[in-house]
Amino acid sequence: SQQGEEDPQALSIQEGENATMNCSYKTSINNLQWYRQNSGRGLVHLILIRSNEREKHSGRLRVTLDTSKKSSSLLITASRAADTASYFCATGGGSNYKLTFGKGTLLTVNP
Amino acid sequence: GAVVSQHPSWVICKSGTSVKIECRSLDFQATTMFWYRQFPKQSLMLMATSNEGSKATYEQGVEKDKFLINHASLTLSTLTVTSAHPEDSSFYICSAGGTGRQFFGPGTRLTVL
């Protein structure tokens, strides 16, 4: 079953704008991860945030985690056309534990 | 960083044939590997967890006799789709458990005619 639910399902913005995607989950977690997938390609790991962290930054990416609301957000600032991809949140993981993915947000950044 | 490869990257086969997909961890050993399936415009769904030297653990609804998984070494897991049918056409992605997290292969596009 899907643990995470992203919204919006699709987001279309202009280059230079910020993009915000949200993810909600149902059970308690140790960490939450965000991945990017270009069309027809594999997954690229973007960022991992642990349950005791509230915010994390990596370049133009900012991730927040609210364990009381069981939700996370991914903000991409100053978006570029190359950011066009599907973005998934995932819970679980670690070396030996399965990941459960959300449904994903399809981001389109128009030049 | 840890690299995981998959072979082939794409395959087209006739209905009724079997297809084997390989997943290799190139620069690390993985006790556990995972196989996911992704249909167009959908998310990844875990099919099975593959443990080196033991039987795979399949998710509910995944037929173990149709999707044969072998994890014979710490760097190789294989998924064989037996008697493939058009509804098995999908994108199959593996991941390997590394230090602290999983590392994903580039995926295999399977098309069954």
Side-chain angles (χ1 to χ4, degrees):
Chain A
S1 63
Q2 294 287 340
Q3 164 77 308
E5 297 273 343
E6 283 96 331
D7 76 87
Q9 289 189 341
L11 179 62
S12 181
I13 59 174
Q14 295 299 123
E15 216 167 17
E17 295 180 339
N18 296 341
T20 300
M21 289 159 271
N22 302 296
C23 166
S24 61
Y25 56 91
K26 297 176 183 176
T27 62
S28 61
I29 60 171
N30 291 322
N31 63 67
L32 185 143
Q33 303 175 52
W34 284 91
Y35 290 84
R36 184 184 75 222
Q37 183 181 36
N38 290 84
S39 181
R41 308 292 289 273
L43 293 177
V44 174
H45 183 262
L46 296 177
I47 200 165
L48 180 152
I49 186 166
R50 301 187 191 285
S51 59
N52 62 351
E53 297 175 307
R54 291 296 167 258
E55 188 170 309
K56 203 163 182 180
H57 297 254
S58 177
R60 294 184 295 112
L61 306 180
R62 173 178 166 247
V63 168
T64 63
L65 179 64
D66 187 335
T67 53
S68 67
K69 295 181 179 178
K70 291 188 169 57
S71 67
S72 173
S73 68
L74 170 67
L75 167 68
I76 303 175
T77 60
S79 64
R80 304 166 182 169
D83 294 329
T84 294
S86 290
Y87 291 82
F88 297 93
C89 68
T91 57
S95 302
N96 303 317
Y97 297 96
K98 64 182 182 183
L99 281 167
T100 303
F101 286 85
K103 294 182 178 179
T105 293
L106 175 59
L107 173 66
T108 302
V109 181
N110 302 298
Chain B
V3 179
V4 176
S5 69
Q6 278 184 243
H7 178 81
S9 55
W10 60 270
V11 57
I12 301 173
C13 69
K14 292 183 179 180
S15 187
T17 60
S18 295
V19 174
K20 180 186 284 188
I21 302 170
E22 294 185 347
C23 176
R24 293 182 185 271
S25 55
L26 298 184
D27 50 3
F28 67 102
Q29 293 183 330
T31 304
T32 305
M33 290 186 175
F34 303 86
W35 286 96
Y36 297 84
R37 180 169 54 183
Q38 185 181 32
F39 292 107
K41 298 186 179 181
Q42 294 189 25
S43 186
L44 283 78
M45 294 296 290
L46 180 69
M47 298 176 67
T49 302
S50 167
N51 296 294
E52 187 268 338
S54 64
K55 291 183 179 180
T57 302
Y58 291 82
E59 294 298 297
Q60 191 173 9
V62 178
E63 299 175 60
K64 62 179 182 180
D65 294 329
K66 179 170 182 63
F67 298 99
L68 302 179
I69 291 173
N70 185 284
H71 193 160
S73 77
L74 289 172
T75 59
L76 173 65
S77 176
T78 60
L79 168 68
T80 300
V81 183
T82 62
S83 187
H85 287 95
E87 57 265 30
D88 298 323
S89 297
S90 188
F91 193 54
Y92 293 86
I93 306 177
C94 73
S95 70
T99 304
R101 66 177 182 90
Q102 295 173 31
F103 298 88
F104 284 82
T108 296
R109 173 79 55 196
L110 170 63
T111 301
V112 184
L113 302 178

